[in-house]
């Protein structure tokens, strides 16, 4: 068994993990970062989800390093792609002209930019990246994690020891391994008095996962995939709270829950420069092709691309029948594996239904010219390499963010809860997708929030920090903390905190408790480009 020693171990190279590694390395510390897939970037790459962001993202509401990532993506398109001159000149270029985000783009482009950001630290041997390594065991001594054991893709095992361990996994994998007090699923209303919490706690009630997939459309061609073996099941499946079959173009509006028809028209003949992506004004999810489009052919010189490329991350392919998370006493590994297979089958069934049976505007059925794009996602049949995970295990934290801190109905449209220990900012609607407990959407207005340092501190563990979606939120507030810029901010703050604690020979809890240390740490965050407070803006 290989033994590796480092100062800071980051487990998981999603957005939070990469941000944590960059922050710690920028602070001069040695970092080992591991990743179960062969792509870093998580939501943005291996899960194939363009960034969901706050409406003010182009002006404020993100860290400086996250802005470098965003501008790096735009610069990549300007340098490498045959953009029309008018498109190349657009400062706020939206490469896919998707409506979900002001920066819709292909997963591989984000991957290239993230690898560029890590490259100098890897060359300097400050960062060691171990892809295709998954954690299988954690060693502890009292309230400290002393080592983590990983298994690589060949089945070999490796042990990494570190002064600080950051859990940036998609599911909060280290929490049960290290015996860290944590929560899964929905808390009872009595625990935090949250208006949208259920009366009874349900640790297995988790937001659905999604296997996103990429496709283009080529009129006159036939790219119909093999009929998925679960197609008959998914074709006939109708949830109790759905207006019709799941495989259909009618679905609830997440905000009103009223049935709303969706449209699907591949390669519309409109100028993508006219698309205005603004989630606060229009969710943009009613026209499915353009909702998460990641390459807009008409942004480029004529003939460069014969089709747009779009992503399916829609109501049709959210999977919520079975929890896709191991939960002691409730859900075992075999059940989780089955849930992921059923989720993949659902997405493949959506693709097959689109190709063969989906209603067209001309009265016909099916779009056989839809072509799966594994070259875009890196996964078989155009599926993403990994499931889009919306809800992780969450630490029992020094500070738990509840609905009372972020709901616009409770605090008012300008009611930002100011945090003296803020380590960053974020904003998104409280957006919960249908869940394994049988709940429909919960999508309610929220206010811009500040991320409290106390939410990054486990109640007891002294050298393990959450660095992704596993901080001290609830089932409800996870709905607005789970998005790309917030996960990045959380990881960046965790990486800086671990390095700061090493520099000062102190602990993260002491930084939170001692005013002088807290002032020095928050000043460091501000000097390195972390926005800690919001201006006066209105929630939505």
């Amino acid at each position: 068994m290989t033994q590796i020693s480092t100062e800071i171990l980051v487990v998981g190279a999603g957005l939070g993990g990469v941000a944590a590694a960059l922050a710690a390395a920028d602070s001069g510390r040695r970092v080992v970062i591991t990743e179960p897939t062969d792509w870093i970037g998580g939501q943005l790459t291996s899960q194939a989800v363009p960034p969901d962001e706050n409406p003010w993202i182009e002006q404020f509401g993100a860290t400086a390093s996250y802005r470098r990532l965003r501008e790096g993506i735009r610069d990549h398109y300007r340098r490498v792609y045959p953009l029309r001159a008018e498109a190349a000149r657009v400062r706020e270029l939206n490469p896919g002209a998707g409506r979900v985000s002001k920066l819709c783009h292909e997963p591989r482009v984000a991957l290239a930019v993230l690898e560029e950001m890590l490259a100098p630290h890897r060359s300097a041997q400050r960062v060691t990246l171990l892809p295709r390594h998954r954690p299988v065991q954690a060693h502890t001594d009292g309230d400290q994690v002393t080592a983590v054991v990983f298994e690589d893709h060949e089945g070999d095992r490796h042990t990494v020891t570190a002064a600080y361990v950051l859990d940036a996994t998609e599911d909060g994998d280290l929490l049960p391994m290290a015996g860290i007090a944590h929560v899964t699923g929905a808390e009872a209303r009595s625990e935090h008095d949250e208006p949208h919490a259920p009366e009874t706690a349900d640790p297995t009630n988790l937001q659905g996962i999604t296997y996103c997939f990429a496709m283009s459309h080529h009129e006159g061609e036939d790219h119909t995939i093999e009929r998925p073996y679960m197609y008959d099941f998914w074709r006939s499946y109708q949830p109790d709270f759905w207006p019709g079959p799941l495989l259909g173009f009618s679905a609830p509006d997440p905000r009103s829950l009223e049935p709303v028809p969706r449209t699907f028209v591949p390669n519309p003949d409109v100028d993508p420069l006219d698309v205005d992506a603004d989630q606060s004004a229009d969710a943009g999810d009613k026209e499915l092709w353009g909702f998460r489009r990641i390459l807009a052919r008409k942004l480029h010189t004529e003939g460069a691309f014969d089709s747009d490329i779009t992503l399916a991350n829609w109501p049709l392919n959210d999977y919520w029948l079975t929890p896709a998370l191991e939960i002691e006493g409730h859900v075992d590994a075999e059940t989780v594996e089955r849930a992921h297979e059923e989720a993949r089958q659902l997405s493949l069934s959506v693709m097959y239904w689109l190709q063969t049976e989906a209603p067209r505007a001309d009265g016909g059925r099916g779009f056989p010219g839809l072509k799966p794009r594994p070259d875009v996602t890196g996964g078989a049949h155009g599926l993403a390499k990994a499931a889009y995970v919306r809800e992780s295990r969450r630490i029992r934290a020094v500070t738990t963010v509840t609905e009372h801190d972020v709901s616009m109905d409770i605090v008012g449209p300008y009611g930002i809860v100011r945090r003296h220990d803020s380590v960053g900012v974020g904003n998104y609607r409280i957006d919960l997708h249908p869940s394994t407990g049988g709940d429909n959407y919960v999508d309610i207005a929220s206010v811009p929030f500040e991320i409290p340092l106390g939410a990054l501190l486990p109640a007891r563990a002294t050298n393990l920090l959450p660095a992704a979606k596993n901080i001290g939120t609830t089932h409800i507030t996870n709905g607005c903390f789970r998005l790309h810029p917030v996960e990045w901010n959380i990881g960046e703050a965790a990486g800086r905190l671990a390095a700061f604690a090493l520099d000062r020979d102190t602990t993260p809890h002491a930084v939170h408790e001692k005013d002088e240390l807290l002032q020095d740490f928050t000043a460091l965050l501000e000097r390195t480009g972390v926005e800690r407070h919001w201006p006066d803006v209105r929630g939505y």
Side-chain angles (χ1 to χ4, degrees):
M1 183 181 292
T2 306
Q3 303 281 336
I4 303 171
S5 179
T6 189
E7 292 175 313
I8 297 173
L9 168 63
V10 181
V11 184
L15 286 178
V18 172
L22 286 169
D26 184 61
S27 301
R29 293 296 172 175
R30 289 183 296 109
V31 182
V32 169
I33 179 171
T34 68
E35 165 59 28
T37 75
D38 58 348
W39 281 12
I40 63 174
Q43 292 189 62
L44 213 53
T45 60
S46 60
Q47 297 173 29
V49 183
D52 292 294
E53 300 171 324
N54 67 72
W56 311 281
I57 192 69
E58 303 294 349
Q59 291 79 42
F60 47 80
T63 73
S65 64
Y66 184 77
R67 294 192 181 285
R68 287 195 293 273
L69 167 61
R70 296 179 89 254
E71 291 311 308
I73 290 168
R74 285 176 169 146
D75 180 60
H76 185 98
Y77 278 96
R78 292 190 181 103
R79 288 186 295 107
V80 177
Y81 280 63
L83 288 165
R84 291 163 43 197
E86 309 96 293
R89 287 195 297 267
V90 175
R91 179 180 176 275
E92 297 177 0
L93 175 67
N94 188 347
R99 294 185 182 277
V100 72
S101 169
K102 298 179 186 297
L103 187 66
C104 289
H105 56 81
E106 298 156 275
R108 286 186 184 274
V109 173
L111 175 65
V113 175
L114 289 167
E115 289 182 336
E116 285 180 2
M117 294 174 78
L118 279 177
H121 294 298
R122 295 180 70 182
S123 295
Q125 297 185 312
R126 284 185 295 272
V127 171
T128 299
L129 173 64
L130 301 177
R132 301 174 78 178
H133 281 62
R134 63 181 184 89
V136 293
Q137 186 179 8
H139 296 299
T140 60
D141 182 5
D143 291 332
Q144 284 208 321
V145 179
T146 57
V148 180
V149 180
F150 297 88
E151 186 172 274
D152 67 21
H153 64 287
E154 295 181 340
D156 295 328
R157 294 204 167 191
H158 313 272
T159 299
V160 182
T161 60
Y164 280 92
V165 177
L166 276 55
D167 185 346
T169 61
E170 298 299 326
D171 289 321
D173 292 333
L174 293 189
L175 304 184
M177 288 183 193
I180 308 298
H182 63 278
V183 183
T184 62
E187 297 90 343
R189 185 174 303 170
S190 58
E191 184 165 355
H192 301 292
D193 194 32
E194 293 180 301
H196 286 86
E199 290 295 335
T200 304
D202 184 355
T204 67
N205 189 9
L206 304 164
Q207 288 191 69
I209 64 171
T210 304
Y211 275 90
C212 304
F213 61 87
M215 55 187 165
S216 50
H217 184 260
H218 308 272
E219 191 65 45
E221 300 178 11
D222 188 343
H223 297 282
T224 305
I225 65 173
E226 183 179 348
R227 184 185 178 99
Y229 69 82
M230 286 189 69
Y231 183 67
D232 288 342
F233 171 83
W234 288 118
R235 185 176 180 271
S236 62
Y237 176 64
Q238 180 171 341
D240 294 340
F241 48 83
W242 221 254
L246 185 63
L247 269 57
F249 287 145
S250 181
D253 180 278
R255 301 182 185 184
S256 70
L257 302 184
E258 293 298 319
V260 174
R262 269 68 172 178
T263 61
F264 184 76
V265 180
N267 294 323
D269 191 25
V270 296
D271 189 343
L273 288 178
D274 293 335
V275 172
D276 180 24
D278 184 355
Q279 288 278 306
S280 65
D282 179 6
D285 60 343
K286 306 306 183 289
E287 194 279 290
L288 294 176
W289 183 268
F291 182 39
R292 293 185 183 272
R293 182 170 51 184
I294 55 174
L295 185 141
R297 72 196 189 287
K298 285 180 172 290
L299 282 182
H300 301 275
T301 55
E302 189 171 353
F305 299 98
D306 60 356
S307 175
D308 298 343
I309 303 174
T310 195
L311 276 170
N313 178 12
W314 304 335
L316 285 70
N317 61 326
D318 278 1
Y319 173 86
W320 61 76
L321 292 190
T322 303
L325 182 68
E326 282 190 60
I327 303 170
E328 187 175 0
H330 299 279
V331 184
D332 60 18
E334 184 178 341
T335 300
V336 171
E337 185 177 343
R338 175 168 56 83
H340 279 271
E341 174 60 14
E342 290 179 354
R344 286 188 289 266
Q345 280 290 306
L346 171 56
S347 286
L348 291 173
S349 295
V350 171
M351 168 61 79
Y352 186 77
W353 178 80
L354 289 169
Q355 293 173 322
T356 61
E357 296 192 71
R360 299 195 309 261
D362 64 5
R365 292 276 175 176
F367 299 84
L370 289 174
K371 183 178 182 179
R373 297 296 298 270
D375 56 314
V376 172
T377 62
H381 310 297
L383 298 186
K385 286 176 173 286
Y388 177 28
V389 176
R390 296 180 175 89
E391 187 170 348
S392 170
R393 301 176 180 92
R394 308 179 296 278
I395 62 166
R396 291 279 186 189
V398 170
T399 303
T400 300
V401 179
T402 74
E403 191 176 350
H404 298 278
D405 300 314
V406 296
S407 169
M408 194 163 77
D409 287 344
I410 295 173
V411 301
Y414 296 96
I416 299 172
V417 175
R418 305 292 179 177
R419 304 279 190 177
H420 77 286
D421 65 339
S422 171
V423 294
V425 298
N427 176 243
Y428 204 73
R429 287 177 66 87
I430 299 174
D431 174 16
L432 277 70
H433 284 230
S435 66
T436 54
D439 297 334
N440 203 339
Y441 291 95
V442 176
D443 191 321
I444 54 179
S446 68
V447 295
F449 53 82
E450 298 176 354
I451 305 166
L453 175 59
L456 275 65
L457 301 177
R460 289 187 56 187
T462 57
N463 76 328
L464 181 139
L465 296 170
K469 298 182 290 289
N470 49 352
I471 67 168
T473 58
T474 66
H475 174 69
I476 301 297
T477 58
N478 165 74
C480 59
F481 270 71
R482 64 181 174 81
L483 290 315
H484 304 64
V486 180
E487 182 184 344
W488 181 279
N489 194 150
I490 290 165
E492 184 170 347
R496 289 282 178 199
L497 179 59
F500 182 86
L502 287 170
D503 291 345
R504 296 299 184 92
D505 191 24
T506 187
T507 66
H509 289 77
V511 174
H512 185 248
E513 293 162 3
K514 297 180 180 179
D515 288 344
E516 183 177 349
L517 285 173
L518 181 60
Q519 289 173 11
D520 288 350
F521 178 61
T522 54
L524 170 66
L525 291 178
E526 290 174 346
R527 287 197 305 274
T528 54
V530 174
E531 296 178 21
R532 297 182 54 240
H533 302 293
W534 283 99
D536 291 330
V537 290
R538 189 185 194 281
Y540 77 99

